[in-house]
Amino acid sequence: MLKQTQPRLSQLASAVAVVLGGITLLPSAHAAAPAAGTNISNIASASYTDAGGNPLTTTSNEVTTTVLQVASFTLVEDRNTISNPNSTVNLSHTLTNTGNGTDSFEIDLVNLGGDDYDFTNIGVYLDANGDGVPDDPSANLIGETITLPAGDAVNLIVQGTTPSGQAIGTDGQLQITATSVFDNAVTEQNTDTVVISAGDFVVRKSANVSIAQIGDEVEYTLTYTNRGNAAATDILIRDALPANVTYVDGSAVWSNAAGSLTDVVDGDGYSFDAAGRIVEFTIPSVAPNVTGTLKFRVTVDAATPAGDIVNQAEYQFDPDGPGGEDPTPLTPTNETPVEVPEARVGVINDSATNPYSDAQRDPTDVDLDDTQTQTIAQGATATFTTYVHNTGNLEQVFEVLINQTDLPAGSTVELFKADGATPLTNISGTAALDVGPIAAGDMVELVVKITLPATFTETGVDTSDTIITVHPVGAPTATDSTILVIDDVTPARIDLSNGNVADYTDANVETAEGEGPYDPVIVVDSENTTPGEPVRFPLEIYNGGANPDSFNLTHTVPPGWTVQYEDAAGNIITNLTNVQPGDTVEYFAVVTPPVDAPVGDNDVIFTVTSPITQLTDSMKNNVTIQDERLVTFSPDRQGETTAGGTVTYLHTFTNNGSAIEGDDAGELLVNMTQGGSFTGNVTVFVDVNKDGIFAPNETLVLDGAGNGDLNSLLPAGVNPGESYSIQVKVESPVTALPGQNNTTTVVITPTGDINGVTPPPAVQIVDRTVISEDPLRLVKSQALDTDCDGVADGAYGTGTLAAEPGACIVYRIVATNEGSGTVTNVVINDTTPAYTTLSTAAVATVGAISATPALGGTGTITNQVGSLAPAANAQLDFGVEIDE
């Protein structure tokens, strides 16, 4: 059982807090285990072409694995030294938490048996400044615990007193032990050996500062003391400089000499080997009870990573001169850490090579203006490539924030990884999407896709700006932005004519054939007939937009008249063919007056309308009812309709805070809104009992404005660290047309102060549904593969997993054609998530793997599926290993 912390340890606690705030021994560029609680999340995507020729994209559900904490630490190192009888020895050690979460460590120290003597007055003490001397001799850590965040370290001093009268050449041993409180099976030990000698000479190392910025000078001091009863001779002090520092020429000073020492081998005994980066100092003799110092300076190099610069010298001497004991082996001094603080900074811009920031932005310099501008066609998507640079000195994850307030209502901004197909996810547990982790000095590509409402156009006015801002996780004020501008949206064009147009030369004037915008004065085509006898008008529809479109064709005729549409062969049609961009289709309209139609002229107006862009064009024809005369024409008509269908989207609502959200202190308000070209029936479910089944009694009740409250289903609120699956089910109307879309946005807003803390910002999800005759459903599932043999430990599922670093996850993506027609050009894309590498090669059941990283690598996995018949599916499997 651990000893209770005594009041005298309050000073120790304060000292530990200071140390823990500044020492980070794990280099940031190292691919270390992700922190406990990190979410490893991933979304697959697929592109395909439906039977109507529409190029479409779909995404899978998100799967998440939460990283578990593992205990791991180091205790260094075994010490060997000499000492006089009845002398106190100080032996330096360093305890480092190399696990992935905060842990506490119980400290113990014992005299080992089997040696020649035991020490008295033994203890373990904190050495916050790393000078080899206990900070507080009254704060003995034996039986106490020290708490360290992941990656942090603490310097310790093992102290003991040798017996008086102990014989020369005998030895005693002390063993220091540290045990993880999180997992008491994880323990480390160091053994210190002290040999009794006629001589007792020690060297300690210290630095004049504990924290240094890049470019600062650090002065190291090597303090030597002859604690023996005879002169120590042939003394050698050697110091190999650590990485990331540069020696300051001519900076060495010895306490026994005036002025500076020279850096070359000469009579002063001091030299610096620039090639080997080694300081050496020899002293012929030091009398008993004499102390001296050697000082020199170094400069902290540019691009030094965050963490500690740890330096340790070594020394040897002859305890009693010729004929006595042998010279001692090289003995290390204490380790002296100097912290280089974290610099959590980064930039986003339009350059893959130049990490310039907002402060360096120059609108007059094309290389530094940081603004990208595109002109797009109406209904098209603008794709921008941006670059996130880590200009800090540690590995970082960056939150990505979108400011689209300047975009027209109904616009969507989507963020993708470098392949332009895999959506960004959240791995840091914050509200925003994020990118990374990015090693210090590295860059990643971020693809931004902006889709304006299909009905929106503008020309010559830069009002459609999107600002993408990034900041490192944990440094919300260190922001940097890039500006993406859609300056022109070229209007799409829809044109209805009589089919006799040779080419479209003037889009602004309607010709006699009906080309151009509608002019109610112009009669494009005239026919004569008798009552009850049909006439046939040719119709040609031109799609001048950027996307395939299924047009609605309507007519205005006198009462009692009928219109029937036919193809060129005279077959009656009810669905219009999907028209590709730049293409035209031809139909015929068979117009039949009633048998009692009066003689005279009658206007017959045909109108074509895009359900996507809402553009329309009309053409006026004329039918003259004459006395009995026989003239016939057979028109053509074709359209597309879709049956009502449903699609469900699975989301996870997680409380990552430390207080219960949505209990008596506040509410979790919900608002659901829809946009796009069709409005569906949207139902929101909450998996209250977490059984993976969304039952009717788990339906969230929303009022007519889409407002509700999660408390109605979760009256006790959501506990810290707790997650609930939320399903959004969208049902399209039976009248929806291919190409129409629906955007469903669900916003959850916490309310109420909790213990004086104001609510967190609202969070939202956006589900965008596009109507297609041949929908492709993409479902991603995962399973643990603890031993990384490529075989799932259990059944695949879509729920959240928990795994330790070093474990593997196997993924399965299934694409199913749920339509009635064959889909083509099917491509499934996925990527290895952050904090993982590929452990099991990708395997596809249909098609071939066209892109994949090597085992142990990271990157995109692409499955070129090809075609899928109705109800057919394709499966992609691969595995990843969590970094450790």
Side-chain angles (χ1 to χ4, degrees):
M1 183 173 180
L2 301 184
K3 185 176 75 175
Q4 294 293 319
T5 302
Q6 301 298 318
R8 63 182 173 80
L9 284 182
S10 60
Q11 292 179 337
L12 169 64
S14 299
V16 171
V18 172
V19 173
L20 301 192
I23 296 182
T24 306
L25 295 178
L26 297 179
S28 61
H30 177 66
T38 297
N39 286 330
I40 296 176
S41 58
N42 208 9
I43 300 173
S45 66
S47 58
Y48 67 102
T49 302
D50 68 11
N54 298 292
L56 299 171
T57 300
T58 185
T59 56
S60 74
N61 54 295
E62 182 178 18
V63 291
T64 301
T65 298
T66 301
V67 178
L68 297 173
Q69 182 172 348
V70 291
S72 175
F73 69 96
T74 60
L75 182 67
V76 293
E77 61 188 343
D78 294 346
R79 296 294 187 184
N80 295 277
T81 190
I82 64 174
S83 180
N84 288 162
N86 194 30
S87 180
T88 299
V89 292
N90 292 322
L91 303 151
S92 298
H93 300 268
T94 302
L95 172 65
T96 304
N97 181 1
T98 56
N100 65 338
T102 298
D103 200 353
S104 297
F105 304 93
E106 182 185 1
I107 305 300
D108 195 16
L109 181 69
V110 296
N111 278 291
L112 288 181
D115 53 3
D116 298 320
Y117 65 85
D118 285 343
F119 295 84
T120 59
N121 303 320
I122 64 173
V124 181
Y125 304 92
L126 186 69
D127 179 17
N129 60 2
D131 64 356
V133 179
D135 298 337
D136 182 358
S138 67
N140 193 337
L141 296 176
I142 296 177
E144 304 293 345
T145 59
I146 296 176
T147 300
L148 295 175
D152 279 10
V154 63
N155 296 313
L156 302 173
I157 298 293
V158 166
Q159 191 176 85
T161 302
T162 58
S164 60
Q166 191 67 33
I168 301 296
T170 58
D171 68 82
Q173 290 186 318
L174 289 169
Q175 185 177 76
I176 179 174
T177 302
T179 302
S180 164
V181 174
F182 177 77
D183 183 355
N184 57 23
V186 180
T187 185
E188 294 286 344
Q189 295 175 328
N190 289 165
T191 299
D192 296 336
T193 303
V194 180
V195 178
I196 300 299
S197 170
D200 188 354
F201 187 87
V202 295
V203 178
R204 293 184 293 105
K205 181 155 191 176
S206 62
N208 67 325
V209 293
S210 60
I211 299 175
Q213 306 287 344
I214 290 173
D216 287 353
E217 282 193 357
V218 176
E219 183 177 71
Y220 288 119
T221 298
L222 291 158
T223 301
Y224 59 85
T225 302
N226 185 356
R227 305 194 310 173
N229 298 319
T233 61
D234 298 328
I235 298 159
L236 169 65
I237 300 175
R238 176 180 294 155
D239 194 341
L241 297 186
N244 300 310
V245 298
T246 299
Y247 179 78
V248 177
D249 295 338
S251 63
V253 177
W254 183 28
S255 58
N256 285 18
S260 299
L261 301 174
T262 62
D263 294 336
V264 297
V265 178
D266 55 17
D268 63 10
Y270 179 82
S271 65
F272 173 66
D273 176 7
R277 294 168 50 81
I278 297 175
V279 168
E280 281 198 351
F281 187 46
T282 58
I283 307 174
S285 178
V286 175
N289 304 314
V290 171
T291 295
T293 60
L294 170 68
K295 299 183 178 183
F296 64 91
R297 301 194 307 275
V298 297
T299 302
V300 180
D301 294 342
T304 298
D308 279 355
I309 299 173
V310 179
N311 193 206
Q312 184 179 39
E314 54 187 358
Y315 63 96
Q316 68 177 168
F317 69 101
D318 189 335
D320 52 6
E325 298 178 52
D326 292 335
T328 64
L330 282 169
T331 301
T333 68
N334 56 293
E335 291 184 341
T336 302
V338 174
E339 179 197 358
V340 178
E342 295 179 350
R344 291 190 174 273
V345 291
V347 302
I348 181 172
N349 59 31
D350 58 357
S351 173
T353 57
N354 183 3
Y356 68 92
S357 66
D358 287 352
Q360 299 166 303
R361 181 182 293 157
D362 183 356
T364 65
D365 187 337
V366 68
D367 294 326
L368 298 174
D369 65 355
D370 203 10
T371 299
Q372 298 185 59
T373 303
Q374 286 189 26
T375 297
I376 63 172
Q378 180 181 356
T381 295
T383 300
F384 296 90
T385 300
T386 65
Y387 303 91
V388 181
H389 301 262
N390 181 359
T391 56
N393 61 354
L394 73 164
E395 181 181 83
Q396 299 183 91
V397 174
F398 291 83
E399 288 194 43
V400 185
L401 307 176
I402 303 170
N403 182 344
Q404 62 182 81
T405 57
D406 193 41
L407 297 183
S411 301
T412 60
V413 180
E414 300 172 286
L415 304 176
F416 297 89
K417 297 180 181 180
D419 62 3
T422 305
L424 282 193
T425 60
N426 178 278
I427 60 175
S428 62
T430 59
L433 299 178
D434 40 42
V435 60
I438 307 174
D442 278 0
M443 169 276 295
V444 297
E445 187 175 317
L446 174 65
V447 176
V448 183
K449 295 184 179 181
I450 304 172
T451 305
L452 306 182
T455 58
F456 180 81
T457 62
E458 71 172 7
T459 303
V461 182
D462 296 344
T463 59
S464 297
D465 296 357
T466 303
I467 301 174
I468 305 298
T469 300
V470 300
H471 68 78
V473 171
T477 61
T479 60
D480 195 79
S481 302
T482 190
I483 303 172
L484 310 177
V485 180
I486 300 175
D487 61 346
D488 288 331
V489 181
T490 306
R493 182 181 168 201
I494 180 174
D495 203 13
L496 178 65
S497 71
N498 69 354
N500 294 325
V501 181
D503 67 305
Y504 296 90
T505 57
D506 189 350
N508 299 314
V509 179
E510 184 173 61
T511 66
E513 291 80 18
E515 177 195 0
Y518 177 56
D519 185 341
V521 176
I522 295 178
V523 176
V524 174
D525 213 344
S526 298
E527 294 290 343
N528 299 326
T529 188
T530 57
E533 291 296 321
V535 294
R536 201 167 187 251
F537 289 106
L539 305 175
E540 188 170 272
I541 300 172
Y542 168 70
N543 180 8
N547 298 308
D549 212 337
S550 297
F551 298 102
N552 294 329
L553 187 56
T554 59
H555 49 264
T556 302
V557 295
W561 293 48
T562 62
V563 179
Q564 178 176 288
Y565 296 97
E566 299 177 350
D567 62 18
N571 300 310
I572 299 174
I573 58 174
T574 57
N575 296 325
L576 297 185
T577 299
N578 205 44
V579 185
Q580 299 299 315
D583 284 355
T584 59
V585 293
E586 295 181 350
Y587 305 102
F588 291 89
V590 178
V591 180
T592 305
V595 293
D596 58 352
V599 174
D601 292 336
N602 298 271
D603 289 337
V604 176
I605 300 174
F606 298 102
T607 300
V608 63
T609 303
S610 165
I612 297 175
T613 65
Q614 301 300 306
L615 292 177
T616 185
D617 188 35
S618 297
M619 179 177 65
K620 184 167 72 172
N621 290 353
N622 181 266
V623 176
T624 300
I625 301 296
Q626 299 176 326
D627 290 331
E628 187 70 27
R629 305 273 304 268
L630 181 58
V631 176
T632 62
F633 281 86
S634 296
D636 191 10
R637 179 191 178 196
Q638 184 174 350
E640 289 192 27
T641 59
T642 58
T646 62
V647 60
T648 58
Y649 300 97
L650 185 63
H651 307 279
T652 301
F653 179 72
T654 302
N655 179 6
N656 283 317
S658 58
I660 300 174
E661 291 289 351
D663 62 352
D664 294 338
E667 296 178 293
L668 291 170
L669 301 180
V670 179
N671 175 255
M672 184 278 296
T673 57
Q674 297 187 63
S677 53
F678 80 83
T679 300
N681 294 324
V682 177
T683 309
V684 179
F685 297 90
V686 180
D687 188 8
V688 176
N689 59 8
K690 301 183 180 181
D691 62 354
I693 300 173
F694 296 92
N697 62 349
E698 295 177 317
T699 303
L700 184 64
V701 177
L702 302 176
D703 62 19
N707 296 313
D709 192 336
L710 275 185
N711 301 63
S712 61
L713 293 177
L714 305 174
V718 181
N719 292 318
E722 189 174 21
S723 299
Y724 282 95
S725 296
I726 296 178
Q727 177 179 273
V728 178
K729 180 179 180 182
V730 180
E731 179 181 354
S732 64
V734 295
T735 57
L737 298 172
Q740 287 187 304
N741 63 80
N742 169 276
T743 300
T744 300
T745 302
V746 179
V747 180
I748 300 178
T749 304
T751 66
D753 291 356
I754 299 178
N755 298 325
V757 179
T758 58
V763 293
Q764 71 175 31
I765 58 93
V766 178
D767 294 329
R768 189 170 184 266
T769 305
V770 178
I771 298 300
S772 170
E773 290 183 329
D774 307 293
L776 186 72
R777 186 66 51 87
L778 203 63
V779 176
K780 183 166 186 175
S781 56
Q782 62 179 354
L784 284 178
D785 175 18
T786 306
D787 55 3
C788 296
D789 62 357
V791 179
D793 295 347
Y796 283 84
T798 58
T800 299
L801 299 177
E804 294 183 351
C808 289
I809 312 164
V810 283
Y811 292 126
R812 174 162 292 169
I813 303 101
V814 177
T816 304
N817 180 1
E818 296 186 347
S820 59
T822 297
V823 296
T824 58
N825 304 320
V826 178
V827 179
I828 301 174
N829 289 287
D830 209 338
T831 62
T832 53
Y835 302 115
T836 70
T837 56
L838 190 71
S839 61
T840 304
V843 176
T845 60
V846 179
I849 303 297
S850 62
T852 180
L855 291 177
T858 61
T860 300
I861 297 102
T862 301
N863 177 194
Q864 299 284 348
V865 175
S867 299
L868 282 178
N873 58 54
Q875 180 176 303
L876 171 64
D877 292 345
F878 67 95
V880 298
E881 181 178 2
I882 303 173
D883 295 340
E884 63 176 341

